[in-house]
Amino acid sequence: MEFVEQVSQLGNPDQLVKDNRAVENWRSLSNLMGRPWFPQRWVVQGFAFSRDATVCCGTKEARWSDFSDAVMLFGNRFAEIEHLFSRNGSSLAETRSRESSRKCQINFRLMPWSQH
């Protein structure tokens, strides 16, 4: 989840979508987004209604605002991130993360109270 914080703190995310060292971080985010419950509207709404939500995964946690920034970046720059994976001999094609990211972006935009 430290990576999620990095995404929100960067003024220029080009570093993270082109940096070979970020592949495993993107893979972790992709795996989390690939979970069946992740793109469900009720999950996103639960976070959006909370003023100070935290996303937890195991012993790691991140603020919802940072996490949603990372999900939006993943969806908006998916082609570049996928290229980053292919340069490193792996692929995102087998995950459901692209579809999950797309659904979350739609949900974020449909909620007027959301930051996005």
Side-chain angles (χ1 to χ4, degrees), residues 1 5 7 15 21 24 37 47 57 64-67 72 75 80 82-83 87-89 91 108:
M1 292 296 216
E5 292 175 17
V7 170
Q15 291 174 243
R21 295 170 296 182
E24 287 309 311
W37 55 264
F47 285 115
C57 185
W64 168 250
S65 58
D66 293 344
F67 188 76
M72 294 296 281
E80 293 166 86
E82 190 172 43
H83 182 69
R87 282 196 332 248
N88 285 277
S91 172
F108 292 161

Side-chain angles (χ1 to χ4, degrees), residues 13-19 22 26 73 77 80-81 84 87:
D14 286 342
Q15 291 174 243
L16 293 177
V17 298
K18 296 179 180 176
D19 187 350
W26 286 118
L73 178 63
R77 307 288 290 273
E80 293 166 86
I81 294 168
L84 176 67
R87 282 196 332 248

Side-chain angles (χ1 to χ4, degrees), residues 14 26 44 52 61 64 66 78 85 96 98 111:
D14 286 342
W26 286 118
V44 177
D52 190 27
E61 59 183 51
W64 168 250
D66 293 344
F78 184 82
F85 272 72
R96 293 179 289 204
R98 169 80 187 225
M111 289 185 275

